[in-house]
Every structure is written in structure tokens, then in C-alpha cells.
Amino acid sequence: MAKELNNMTTDELGQLFPIIIVDYNPHWPELASAETGNILAAVENDITITIEHIGSTAVPGLCAKPTIDFLLEVPQTANCDLLIKKLQRIDYHYIPKPENPPPHMMFAKGYSESGITGQTFHIHVRYPGDWDEIVFRDYLLKNQKALDEYAGLKRELAERFKNDREKYTDNKTEFIKEVTRIARRQEK
């Protein structure tokens, strides 16, 4: 029997789910829109939410891991246990993320103990705020030079850290922070 995803080491997960960067897929926005509808239908009657398509798949022309990311904002009064149950009903796997901002929750869909099982989605759950992911996305949408630099960095890091998602992500962090700082200065 295969080990459950939550019980796998980061090395095991890296082997099972290597970093693969692909060219931009013009179908990502429609896949994101359809999945947004699924998420809303699953939780909206019980929990008020705001949902944004974030990450590289939300930026036309940007290469990406073919995973569609969402930022899901829930009120601080939200019943998180209910949210978990509702999203599990539409095949999302709950991942506690104590290192993430409150409520420290993430969900993933499209993964199994034997590998990828179709389109993958991530939901990053947060309380309402002014989130860097949206600022970064919006800056890339308007700045081709930053988009090109980020694409080059992503491809280089995917080659260097194919089976180490943490190092891949960590090595993008300074670029993302710097671009976000620039974007926030321009907002003022």
C-alpha cells in the first residue's frame, strides 16, 4: 500500500511530484473560472468568501508549473472545520500550514499517492488582507521585463531543483519580494 501524502517526506514528495515548468496555457483562465464556480458552489452558502486566481497561471505569457493557485479569503469568524468538510467533498485534500498566515490552511486537488491525477489546484486560505501574491501578479501583468526575468529564473531553478520544491520556492523568494516592493512603491 502506498504511503499517504501527508506522511511522505519532502524527498519522497519531490520524487513523486518533480518541478516541471511548461509554457503558458491559454486554457488556464477558463479552467480557473470553472474551478472557481465549483469552489463557490461548495462553500458559498455557508461561508462568505472572496477568491482570486493567483500565481503564474494567472499571468498570460508566463511559464508555470501547471498548477492553478487560488487565494481564498474567509472572514475571521468562518467555521474552518466546515470549510475543510465542504472542500473535501469536491476532492480537495486539506494541508495544515502552520507557517502560513492565519488561518494556516491550504488545500490541494489533483494529487495522489501514485502521482498527478489530472489538473492540479491549490487553495491558499487567508483572512482578508492586502496580500503580496495579488500585488505581484498584478505587477507582472503590466511589466513585461519583470515577467521575462521571472520566467528565466523559474526555468533555471526548475532545472537546478527539479526534485526539491522547497529549494525551488526559496530561491524565488528574494526576486518576488523585490518585485513586490517595487510594485508597492509605485502604488503610492
Side-chain angles (χ1 to χ4, degrees), residues 125-169:
V125 182
R126 308 269 177 79
Y127 294 135
D130 181 17
W131 298 108
D132 286 348
E133 292 90 340
I134 294 170
V135 173
F136 182 71
R137 176 204 62 197
D138 291 351
Y139 187 80
L140 292 181
L141 287 168
K142 297 181 267 181
N143 189 304
Q144 187 65 46
K145 183 176 184 256
L147 186 151
D148 292 341
E149 288 176 23
Y150 189 47
L153 177 63
K154 288 163 61 86
R155 289 188 189 280
E156 173 196 330
L157 294 174
E159 247 180 67
R160 284 179 47 204
F161 303 113
K162 180 178 183 178
N163 297 105
D164 193 332
R165 191 169 297 266
E166 284 73 26
K167 282 189 179 172
Y168 169 80
T169 300

Side-chain angles (χ1 to χ4, degrees), residues 21 33-34 48 62 69 95 101 108 120 125 140 152 155 163-164 188:
I21 300 294
S33 179
T48 303
L62 181 58
D69 286 278
I95 305 167
T120 54
V125 182
L140 292 181
R155 289 188 189 280
N163 297 105
D164 193 332
K188 294 179 180 182

Side-chain angles (χ1 to χ4, degrees), residues 6-7 28 34-35 45 49 56-57 73-74 101 110 121 128-129 134 142 150 152 155 158 163 179 181:
N6 277 352
N7 295 326
W28 285 333
E35 192 63 16
N45 290 337
I49 63 168
S56 297
T57 61
E73 290 183 321
V74 299
F121 298 95
I134 294 170
K142 297 181 267 181
Y150 189 47
R155 289 188 189 280
N163 297 105
V179 167
R181 281 191 288 269

Side-chain angles (χ1 to χ4, degrees), residues 165-176:
R165 191 169 297 266
E166 284 73 26
K167 282 189 179 172
Y168 169 80
T169 300
D170 289 348
N171 280 274
K172 294 187 312 177
T173 299
E174 190 50 45
F175 178 88
I176 293 168

Side-chain angles (χ1 to χ4, degrees), residues 74-85:
V74 299
Q76 291 189 11
T77 57
N79 180 334
C80 290
D81 291 332
L82 180 62
L83 179 64
I84 293 167
K85 287 177 186 158

